[in-house]
Amino acid sequence: MDKQEVARLVTTPLDSPAYAPTRYRFSDREYLNVVYRTDPEVLRRLVPEPLTVSEPLVRFEVMRMPDTTGLGDYTEAGQLIAVEHDGEAGEFNLAMYVDSVPAISSGREFSAYPKKSGSPALYVDSDTLIGTLDYGTVRVATATMGYKHRAMDLGEARAEVCLPNFMIKTVPHYDGTPRICELVRTQITDITVKSAFTGPARLQLFAHAIAPLADLPVLEVVSASHIVTDLTLNPVEAVYDYLA
């Protein structure tokens, strides 16, 4: 392999890349979203400048992705915090727990998604939509929502999924000092909302040292949604360089 070929590599191993170098298109991507009010002081300790906390709101999401170009079939769960950046409302992606190594690798390397390994699930149990997250063998989150109780406005559902998303991209030098440390932004724009419903919801978070979702306690469930979409992810762009 000559130097030019090496320089064009997206990821390793050389003979079996960790993920497919493609733009990811999701068909029938299914969301369970539970928005809840939490402790504002905890949020202020977690949210990095120059982002600011707009309201003490967190969205716990479970995403079922049965058909993804290059990545196949997998599920994610995580927490996103309502923030503002330069007057623009968005969400800070705090953590994502994923059951797919290619999705973890591509999300962290190719973009800036804060992904780590976990075992999320999304399914219907009789008249209830269930979203769960296990870390190892331990349950750390359970969300429940009444199944398709009330139709949701499709424009409202689109706005919920298409909020700007902010993340921290960090890559160390070999000596451990930071090589890249940036605040990045991305936003979904290519989307078709196929169905959207709302209903009564509850969320339980359980204390865990390594999957600390319960550090953002559930004080009040504000809203819930069950949304099915087809969409394409956009690339991220840097909006602040912490090393500049």
Side-chain angles (χ1 to χ4, degrees):
M1 182 178 292
D2 61 33
K3 296 175 184 177
Q4 289 74 23
E5 289 178 287
V6 175
R8 287 194 295 267
L9 289 172
V10 174
T11 185
T12 58
L14 301 186
D15 62 344
S16 179
Y19 52 87
T22 185
R23 192 173 181 194
Y24 298 114
R25 176 70 180 173
F26 298 82
S27 300
D28 295 323
R29 176 164 162 154
E30 182 179 12
Y31 292 82
L32 168 59
N33 298 314
V34 179
V35 176
Y36 69 93
R37 198 174 305 279
T38 193
D39 184 339
E41 291 304 316
V42 178
L43 292 185
R44 292 188 184 101
R45 290 197 299 268
L46 282 175
V47 172
E49 292 182 332
L51 299 176
T52 59
V53 176
S54 50
E55 290 187 80
L57 298 178
V58 178
R59 180 165 62 89
F60 174 75
E61 67 177 11
V62 183
M63 293 182 292
R64 181 83 188 91
M65 291 161 283
D67 183 359
T68 309
T69 55
L71 296 175
D73 181 351
Y74 66 103
T75 307
E76 295 184 351
Q79 288 173 309
L80 299 98
I81 299 168
V83 295
E84 288 187 1
H85 179 258
D86 287 343
E88 179 184 49
E91 293 179 313
F92 174 62
N93 197 328
L94 179 63
M96 307 174 78
Y97 298 84
V98 189
D99 63 1
S100 162
V101 171
I104 293 171
S105 300
S106 61
R108 292 180 64 92
E109 292 183 18
F110 193 62
S111 296
Y113 292 98
K115 298 187 179 188
K116 60 190 296 185
S117 181
S119 300
L122 182 61
Y123 60 94
V124 178
D125 182 5
S126 184
D127 60 351
T128 309
L129 183 64
I130 309 289
T132 63
L133 173 61
D134 294 349
Y135 192 81
T137 61
V138 177
R139 178 62 45 87
V140 294
T142 300
T144 59
M145 174 181 155
Y147 186 70
K148 293 188 176 182
H149 277 217
R150 298 184 303 278
M152 186 178 179
D153 179 79
L154 297 185
E156 182 182 342
R158 177 188 174 93
E160 184 172 313
V161 174
C162 294
L163 275 172
N165 202 206
F166 297 94
M167 300 169 285
I168 295 294
K169 174 74 171 185
T170 179
V171 177
H173 279 289
Y174 298 110
D175 63 1
T177 58
R179 185 172 186 172
I180 296 172
C181 190
E182 297 172 335
L183 179 70
V184 305
R185 178 192 182 277
T186 188
Q187 185 174 16
I188 295 168
T189 56
D190 178 7
I191 183 173
T192 301
V193 178
K194 302 173 82 169
S195 69
F197 290 86
T198 186
R202 298 292 185 272
L203 175 62
Q204 293 175 287
L205 303 177
F206 306 97
H208 193 289
I210 308 301
L213 285 81
D215 286 5
L216 296 175
V218 180
L219 303 183
E220 176 192 10
V221 171
V222 175
S223 64
S225 59
H226 176 208
I227 303 170
V228 179
T229 68
D230 293 341
L231 61 84
T232 305
L233 292 184
N234 281 332
V236 302
E237 58 176 349
V239 295
Y240 188 85
D241 186 351
Y242 293 96
L243 304 180

